[in-house]
């Protein structure tokens, strides 16, 4: 500020009068501010820090969105399994083959297959599909369950 300028003016006037005493005054004047290189280095450090923070927040946001989508898919698959378990063993929804359940929050498909070890048991695999907004990648989650004629 004004003190540094005042010291430099005093130092210039001393140079004329005292000669060698100016060296200490010149040092005080040159240390009063930041050089261009110091400013550039400080700017680069700040830029790298901010870039790292933005990247960390972006990755955290993507992870949170993915976790939320997986939780919704798990809920939808469990809902499908519960809907199918409420059906009788001979219900057409439990016929062997592929089908889907309408009215669920996410697109789904389920497969009913005979259990090789237990003839009066059907294995059901429910698969739920979703895409992440802005990306073309399709994600899926599957849940399996077995339905026995004696329990239905």
């Amino acid at each position: 500020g004004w003190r540094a300028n005042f010291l430099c003016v005093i130092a210039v006037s001393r140079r004329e009068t005292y000669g060698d005493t100016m060296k200490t005054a010149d040092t005080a004047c040159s240390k009063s501010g930041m050089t261009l290189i110091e400013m550039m280095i400080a700017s680069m450090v700040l830029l790298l820090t901010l870039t790292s923070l933005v990247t960390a927040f972006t990755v955290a946001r993507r992870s949170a969105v993915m976790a939320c989508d997986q939780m919704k898919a798990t809920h939808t698959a469990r809902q499908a399994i519960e809907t199918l378990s409420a059906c009788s063993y001979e219900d057409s929804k439990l016929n062997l083959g592929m089908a889907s359940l309408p009215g669920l929050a996410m697109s789904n498909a389920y497969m009913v297959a005979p259990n090789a070890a237990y003839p009066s048991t059907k294995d059901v695999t429910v698969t739920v599909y979703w895409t992440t907004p802005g990306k073309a990648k399709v994600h899926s989650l599957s849940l399996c369950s077995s339905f026995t004629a004696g329990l239905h």
Side-chain angles (χ1 to χ4, degrees), residues 26-126:
D26 280 341
T27 306
C29 289
S30 65
K31 297 265 184 194
S32 65
M34 294 181 70
T35 65
L36 180 61
I37 292 176
E38 290 172 332
M39 287 295 290
M40 289 175 65
I41 291 172
S43 297
M44 290 302 291
V45 168
L46 180 64
L47 180 68
L48 289 173
T49 303
L50 290 176
T51 302
S52 298
L53 286 173
V54 168
T55 301
F57 283 121
T58 302
V59 168
R61 175 74 176 136
R62 282 186 198 149
S63 296
V65 168
M66 184 64 172
C68 184
D69 288 344
Q70 286 178 337
M71 190 169 45
K72 288 177 186 175
T74 302
H75 177 72
T76 301
R78 285 181 181 167
Q79 188 178 9
I81 291 286
E82 288 176 13
T83 300
L84 293 171
S85 69
C87 298
S88 71
Y89 187 78
E90 300 300 327
D91 193 312
S92 63
K93 289 181 182 175
L94 291 176
N95 287 343
L96 301 180
M98 295 284 296
S100 65
L101 288 172
L104 294 178
M106 301 174 110
S107 64
N108 66 83
Y110 69 94
M111 183 179 74
V112 180
N115 187 302
Y118 302 100
S120 61
T121 302
K122 296 178 182 176
D123 294 327
V124 177
T125 303
V126 175

Side-chain angles (χ1 to χ4, degrees), residues 10-22:
I10 292 174
V12 170
S13 64
R14 283 188 185 170
R15 177 183 291 162
E16 297 170 359
T17 319
Y18 300 108
D20 287 341
T21 58
M22 186 56 202

